[in-house]
Amino acid sequence: GVQPPIYSNVSSFTAGDVSGPDGYVTGAGLESIYKGIDGVFSQATLGNPGIQPEKTTEWEGGLDLAFLNNGLNLGVTYYRSKTTGAILQLPTAPSSGFSSKWENGAAWRNWGWEVTLDWLAVRSRDFSWRLAAQWATNNSNVDTLIFTEEVGLAGFTGSTSSVVQGYPLPVIYGEDFVRFGRGETVGTVDIDEAYSGWSEGDLYICSVTGQPGGAPDPACSTTGFPLFSAQEWVLGDGNPDWMGSLRTTFTFFGDLRLSGLLDVKQGGVMWNGTRGALTHYGVHENTIPWHGAGSDSTFEGAGPGAGTNVTLTGSSWGQRLGSGFNGPTSQFVEDAGYVKLRDVSLAYTWQAPWLSSIGFDALDITVSGRNLVTWTDYTGLDPESNLTGQSTGRGLEYFNHPQTRTFVFSLTFRR
């Protein structure tokens, strides 16, 4: 069980400042103080006197096997869990005076496999080689979500890590272009019925005068460009398909050890908000062709403007629909799989008579490096980072700090 957050059963108050129109405190008289006495405001989240603990039930089964005089060990585990009464801050009508309310608002399931392997591949007097591997996958589904279609866990308006019924927990949810196969309309035209030759997910390419019957496209200002969708959509799953690691260790003459660790994440998307912001200001490398006279391009898709050549410039595209501030979130959602050389370590255990004379049995000398190399197609700072850290939200990057590459030299005296 998970207890509700403290005071979530009451509508309480908070001290603070009143923001000005620009989002900042901009002058005298805006503080919650009158004649030297602090004032308070109602909190934005409405309390729920009937809030109950969140409950999770789980079962798992596993098998541990050992072979070759414990030279080969294999572990396999399968698990399933179900969470009911999940505690969320669900949106509420602004007319209530609050923006959200504490509710036992969702139920979801998790299930997956965990496999471990430890193999002493070579064992002799002067040399040994050990391999250790781990592999895990987790699947999830939100079965129930009450009162709303989506609840944001973390992120920005237009790009959030969210709970959405019928999808894994969580997903990237946000703004997108108009696309075929989703039942969208442009003006009064159902684009799926009005046009042919499209595949699900294709962009709708607009035309100023190209709608059926010659009616003008009400949202199109320049033929050949995609359109901003009027609603938000699930843009991808931030959870990996699977994760794994492989460690190998070589031992020479019992005293010298060389080891390395590879970490692998397969699948899972990430919102590259850093690229979106840099694109808006024209300083991302992808915007180089858009400077000056711009570059010719044709958007792939279907619709009345399909196949039309357009010119992309910073002012017409990079700071408008192609921008991370003005354009859809979807164009900055990327695959965030990776392979990382997590660490390499060289260690030597020195045993010498002079160590005994100062009260020690051995000296361990270690040189190691961590987060040395990352192989990934992700174009952001680090596919392993997360804007909100260790939180329920995931798959968000906005000028995050990447993982630190470190090098360590250590001396350890043992008794």
Side-chain angles (χ1 to χ4, degrees):
V2 176
Q3 290 286 357
I6 190 170
Y7 305 131
S8 58
N9 62 328
V10 296
S11 300
S12 53
F13 299 89
T14 182
D17 298 316
V18 180
S19 297
D22 56 0
Y24 300 91
V25 177
T26 55
L30 293 178
E31 293 81 9
S32 59
I33 298 175
Y34 180 69
K35 294 184 177 181
I37 301 174
D38 287 339
V40 294
F41 304 96
S42 295
Q43 288 190 343
T45 302
L46 180 65
N48 182 354
I51 194 80
Q52 297 294 316
E54 173 182 312
K55 297 179 181 179
T56 298
T57 57
E58 178 175 344
W59 66 264
E60 65 177 52
L63 185 66
D64 292 319
L65 301 173
F67 305 94
L68 305 176
N69 196 24
N70 287 325
L72 178 62
N73 294 275
L74 174 66
V76 180
T77 301
Y78 178 76
Y79 64 90
R80 296 186 71 92
S81 69
K82 184 172 183 178
T83 297
T84 57
I87 300 171
L88 297 170
Q89 294 184 50
L90 300 185
T92 189
S95 57
S96 68
F98 299 88
S99 61
S100 60
K101 179 182 179 180
W102 289 108
E103 291 279 4
N104 295 108
W108 53 69
R109 291 171 291 133
N110 285 271
W111 66 96
W113 292 88
E114 297 173 352
V115 180
T116 61
L117 175 69
D118 185 72
W119 180 30
L120 186 56
V122 178
R123 178 168 47 186
S124 67
R125 179 178 178 181
D126 297 327
F127 174 74
S128 67
W129 175 30
R130 181 181 292 275
L131 284 170
Q134 296 181 345
W135 179 88
T137 180
N138 179 75
N139 302 284
S140 63
N141 186 74
V142 178
D143 297 326
T144 305
L145 181 63
I146 64 174
F147 303 149
T148 183
E149 294 182 356
E150 174 267 343
V151 176
L153 300 175
F156 297 98
T157 300
S159 180
T160 56
S161 181
S162 298
V163 181
V164 182
Q165 184 169 332
Y167 288 89
L169 176 73
V171 290
I172 304 297
Y173 187 83
E175 300 159 337
D176 196 5
F177 294 107
V178 175
R179 296 182 184 272
F180 287 93
R182 300 192 299 205
E184 293 193 77
T185 60
V186 176
T188 59
V189 175
D190 184 324
I191 62 173
D192 292 347
E193 295 181 356
Y195 302 99
S196 60
W198 54 266
S199 299
E200 185 173 350
D202 281 351
L203 291 174
Y204 170 82
I205 309 301
C206 75
S207 173
V208 173
T209 60
Q211 285 206 315
D217 188 331
C220 188
S221 59
T222 306
T223 299
F225 283 89
L227 289 181
F228 205 126
S229 179
Q231 65 185 93
E232 295 188 339
W233 303 89
V234 173
L235 305 178
D237 183 2
N239 301 284
D241 298 330
W242 58 266
M243 297 187 71
S245 66
L246 177 65
R247 177 174 288 282
T248 183
T249 304
F250 300 95
T251 303
F252 304 89
F253 306 106
D255 294 324
L256 181 63
R257 298 172 299 281
L258 175 64
S259 67
L261 174 65
L262 281 177
D263 279 344
V264 182
K265 175 193 170 191
Q266 175 63 38
V269 299
M270 195 164 190
W271 171 64
N272 188 350
T274 304
R275 179 164 68 91
L278 297 180
T279 297
H280 176 82
Y281 292 112
V283 293
H284 193 276
E285 62 180 359
N286 291 346
T287 68
I288 292 175
W290 305 345
H291 295 303
S295 63
D296 291 339
S297 182
T298 302
F299 287 97
E300 295 185 5
T308 302
N309 187 69
V310 296
T311 299
L312 303 182
T313 67
S315 58
S316 70
W317 177 250
Q319 292 182 331
R320 296 184 181 180
L321 279 183
S323 160
F325 294 156
N326 306 107
T329 297
S330 59
Q331 59 196 321
F332 304 106
V333 174
E334 306 178 20
D335 176 64
Y338 61 80
V339 177
K340 286 203 174 201
L341 180 57
R342 182 68 66 188
D343 69 58
V344 174
S345 177
L346 180 64
Y348 179 70
T349 299
W350 189 11
Q351 302 180 58
W354 67 269
L355 289 169
S356 299
S357 66
I358 60 173
F360 295 99
D361 297 325
L363 171 62
D364 292 330
I365 305 171
T366 304
V367 179
S368 62
R370 187 165 179 82
N371 294 319
L372 299 176
V373 184
T374 301
W375 296 276
T376 182
D377 292 331
Y378 182 66
T379 64
L381 297 172
D382 190 339
E384 195 179 20
S385 65
N386 188 34
L387 177 64
T388 55
Q390 298 295 322
S391 73
T392 52
R394 65 175 59 185
L396 304 173
E397 187 214 295
Y398 192 74
F399 298 95
N400 304 352
H401 290 293
Q403 295 287 321
T404 303
R405 181 179 298 137
T406 58
F407 298 93
V408 176
F409 174 76
S410 65
L411 299 174
T412 304
F413 291 89
R414 291 194 288 112
R415 299 184 63 178

